[in-house]
Amino acid sequence: MREIGTDQDAFEAFYREHLDFVRKYVARRVDDAHTAADLTADIFLAAIESAHRYDEAKGSSGAWLAGIARNVVADHQRKKARELRALGRINGRALLDEASVERINQRLDAERATRQLYRTLQNLPATQRAVVELVAIDGLSLADSAAVLGITAANARTRYHRARTRLRSALPTTLCEVPS
């Protein structure tokens, strides 16, 4: 895993293995195709730069990458909140051809319902919301989610249970079917 920072073949294999997860993670959290492409690239760049700090004992490479993605997207949201205009339309968009923009827009449209559910999740306490995002939305196990958040697995289970209880009372039954 640490070799992705120095070995191009290792990085390519890592990239191909995790690209779909990262694309979906970002598409659920942003509305702009150019921003989604930029954040995806930023996440993999951050993974390369921090590969030497990866500790297998703290969780899987997927959980580690989810933590990086979470930080990169959160940093983007903080920057966006401080500015009057969204940073979604930056100079880098000229690097995308029409077919790429169309594919990204299709992914964003496919994740629209998830983004609406995500907005509902904003009413949860941040500690509960983070566990739900990692487990129910991003597909990590409770143990991997705990590793990403730096908490115990028992704490993650408690937060997840409390969040599910709140969501059941706030959402229609069809939207409350989150993984156990």
Side-chain angles (χ1 to χ4, degrees):
M1 179 56 212
R2 292 175 181 242
E3 64 274 4
I4 69 164
T6 56
D7 180 350
Q8 184 176 358
D9 292 334
F11 174 73
E12 183 176 350
F14 178 81
Y15 178 81
R16 289 180 187 276
E17 179 182 352
H18 296 288
L19 179 59
D20 189 51
F21 168 80
V22 171
R23 282 180 174 165
K24 288 178 180 178
Y25 184 95
V26 172
R28 284 188 292 271
R29 288 160 174 83
V30 299
D31 293 326
D32 179 73
H34 299 290
T35 301
D38 289 340
L39 289 175
T40 299
D42 290 346
I43 289 165
F44 282 104
L45 181 59
I48 290 171
E49 291 172 348
S50 63
H52 66 281
R53 292 191 306 261
Y54 171 70
D55 182 359
E56 190 174 299
K58 291 184 176 179
S60 69
S61 60
W64 174 73
L65 187 61
I68 291 172
R70 185 173 186 263
N71 290 335
V72 169
V73 171
D75 184 52
H76 166 75
Q77 296 295 357
R78 282 189 296 271
K79 287 178 184 176
K80 184 177 173 183
R82 286 190 302 260
E83 296 176 3
L84 297 175
R85 300 166 90 179
L87 293 176
R89 302 196 186 278
I90 63 173
N91 295 334
R93 67 183 149 153
L95 301 176
L96 295 174
D97 61 13
E98 288 299 317
S100 295
V101 170
E102 181 59 30
R103 281 191 307 274
I104 292 170
N105 279 329
Q106 288 171 353
R107 268 195 308 274
L108 292 172
D109 288 342
E111 295 294 342
R112 189 173 315 280
T114 304
R115 285 194 309 276
Q116 290 172 343
L117 176 60
Y118 187 74
R119 284 189 283 275
T120 303
L121 292 172
Q122 295 301 316
N123 293 328
L124 291 175
T127 55
Q128 292 175 13
R129 184 176 58 246
V131 175
V132 170
E133 289 172 356
L134 292 170
V135 173
I137 297 175
D138 298 316
L140 295 182
S141 68
L142 277 168
D144 283 343
S145 298
V148 168
L149 298 171
I151 60 176
T152 66
N155 192 323
R157 279 191 300 275
T158 301
R159 290 179 185 183
Y160 190 65
H161 173 74
R162 288 178 180 164
R164 288 181 66 197
T165 300
R166 285 178 182 239
L167 289 173
R168 279 190 186 110
S169 66
L171 293 173
T173 307
T174 56
L175 290 178
C176 289
E177 296 173 5
V178 294
S180 297

